[in-house]
Amino acid sequence: MNPQLDGNGVLSPLLSIVICTYNNSESLAITIQQILSQKISNPERVELIVINNNSSDNTHQVLENIQNTNFPFRHYFEPRQGISHARNTGFENSLGTYILYTDDDAEIPQYWLEKYINRILVSNPDCIFGKITVIWDMPSPWWYEDEKYQSFFAALDYGDEEFQISDKRYPFLSKNACIRKNCLIEIGGFDPTLGRKGALLAGGEETLVFYRLVEAEKTIYYCPELTIRHRLKPREYKEENITNQYMACAKPILRIATLQPGKRFLNKPLGVLENQIKEIIYSLPMLLTAYITGNKKEFFYQSLRFRRAFLITLLWFGNL
């Protein structure tokens, strides 16, 4: 891939790293320092952009105190609350050919950028992303099981072999994903109706971007060597937090289904309704069994499944 010049004849970066942050200044400072300390042979290929998404803590002071960077650093204040607004502001203000997204709670290894640059130069992908593991600095919650909750902890592991993705079974997480800027422009960026908004722990914005990239037949790779880790906040160990996350996904699930192709009734997606009815039918007897047998962990999980499926069903009929 040949270097590109901007309108002033200045070499444009290959990568624009975009961190979107909200009220997590202490962790943000760690992540920024890890990025600025990267072992990288060509720092001119990189720029760092941080989007302060209406934080009320000392995030602004942390960003203003960043000095002596080995590649360009800029930060912007995005007053519209929501991770999708922040991510769109990030790529709209970027100069790079690729946008490399991560978060303010990401633990970044020293050769992360160098590995991304090398993989891009070799594969010339439209999108490439890596593995994410969780840092458990306290015992995992009593209710936690990997197969049931890891996606809510921003964990991602599709194995130890690199492969190209051509269907919707392997979505990325924007904590560790790199997308060609022109592709983001082409698909319209991130949907502002999806994703976290302040204390509302919704999601779905990155899933919809992934689906649109697949539908547009873009070249997408999963590359496990591009691994980072996720630093947990204390609240992420609590039952209240996972309950809020689980239930906050109801509207995004319905929204994404509405925007996807499939069977319709009165212009509403039938597939998602069928799936939620199946969830209710499947989870209700398991919920009752767990209650009768005193299986607290299973009862907690099945109650989340049942309640969310019931809520999505109500939302589906409520929008008729």
Side-chain angles (χ1 to χ4, degrees), residues 119-298:
R119 294 304 300 126
I120 288 170
L121 294 176
V122 168
S123 303
N124 192 28
D126 294 312
C127 173
I128 187 168
F129 65 96
K131 185 184 295 189
I132 307 169
T133 62
V134 176
I135 300 172
W136 294 104
D137 50 11
M138 293 191 290
S140 60
W142 66 266
W143 42 264
Y144 182 83
E145 295 179 68
D146 278 343
E147 65 274 14
K148 295 176 179 176
Y149 298 106
Q150 65 176 1
S151 63
F152 293 96
F153 284 75
L156 186 150
D157 187 349
Y158 297 144
D160 296 327
E161 299 294 328
E162 179 178 332
F163 62 91
Q164 185 171 349
I165 294 168
S166 57
D167 58 45
K168 297 178 180 178
R169 291 178 296 167
Y170 302 101
F172 59 71
L173 295 176
S174 293
K175 191 180 296 294
N176 189 17
C178 184
I179 308 168
R180 193 187 296 271
K181 182 177 179 178
N182 286 344
C183 292
L184 281 170
I185 295 171
E186 180 183 330
I187 65 174
F190 292 85
D191 186 337
T193 67
L194 297 172
R196 297 191 176 193
K197 295 180 177 66
L200 178 63
L201 304 178
E205 79 290 347
E206 56 211 343
T207 302
L208 184 58
V209 165
F210 171 74
Y211 284 175
R212 286 173 169 167
L213 292 173
V214 171
E215 290 162 5
E217 298 183 344
K218 301 302 182 182
T219 306
I220 306 171
Y221 289 96
Y222 165 71
C223 188
E225 70 176 21
L226 305 172
T227 297
I228 65 170
R229 304 173 74 196
H230 175 203
R231 291 190 298 273
L232 297 179
K233 305 173 184 66
R235 64 171 171 80
E236 293 181 85
Y237 290 84
K238 298 179 179 179
E239 297 172 42
E240 179 184 5
N241 192 78
I242 190 63
T243 300
N244 290 340
Q245 279 187 278
Y246 218 95
M247 300 306 293
C249 288
K251 287 184 178 179
I253 288 171
L254 184 56
R255 168 71 174 169
I256 292 171
T258 301
L259 296 173
Q260 291 293 290
K263 295 182 296 181
R264 289 287 199 273
F265 177 71
L266 297 178
N267 202 34
K268 295 189 68 64
L270 276 176
V272 67
L273 178 62
E274 293 170 352
N275 288 339
Q276 301 316 307
I277 291 174
K278 290 177 183 177
E279 278 282 284
I280 291 171
I281 293 172
Y282 181 79
S283 62
L284 182 56
M286 298 189 72
L287 178 64
L288 295 174
T289 300
Y291 176 76
I292 293 169
T293 59
N295 189 334
K296 185 179 178 183
K297 180 182 290 190
E298 185 67 13

Side-chain angles (χ1 to χ4, degrees), residues 30-148:
I30 296 171
T31 298
I32 290 176
Q33 189 55 50
Q34 289 173 344
I35 290 175
L36 295 178
S37 302
Q38 289 285 291
K39 303 294 186 182
I40 180 171
S41 54
N42 299 105
E44 70 276 4
R45 292 183 178 273
V46 176
E47 66 173 356
L48 174 60
I49 298 171
V50 177
I51 308 300
N52 177 0
N53 190 203
N54 206 27
S55 297
S56 58
D57 63 0
N58 67 329
T59 292
H60 179 74
Q61 287 72 29
V62 168
L63 297 175
E64 284 293 307
N65 289 336
I66 300 298
Q67 298 178 359
N68 302 321
T69 63
N70 60 344
F71 40 77
F73 167 72
R74 303 190 302 283
H75 61 91
Y76 300 88
F77 183 79
E78 174 50 74
R80 296 171 297 176
Q81 198 72 67
I83 188 67
S84 289
H85 286 304
R87 287 190 173 133
N88 288 338
T89 298
F91 88 76
E92 288 164 0
N93 286 278
S94 68
L95 300 176
T97 304
Y98 288 87
I99 312 302
L100 175 53
Y101 284 104
T102 191
D103 292 336
D104 58 18
D105 53 9
E107 187 82 10
I108 309 294
Q110 283 191 320
Y111 290 93
W112 183 63
L113 291 181
E114 186 83 344
K115 289 179 179 180
Y116 257 110
I117 289 172
N118 290 339
R119 294 304 300 126
I120 288 170
L121 294 176
V122 168
S123 303
N124 192 28
D126 294 312
C127 173
I128 187 168
F129 65 96
K131 185 184 295 189
I132 307 169
T133 62
V134 176
I135 300 172
W136 294 104
D137 50 11
M138 293 191 290
S140 60
W142 66 266
W143 42 264
Y144 182 83
E145 295 179 68
D146 278 343
E147 65 274 14
K148 295 176 179 176

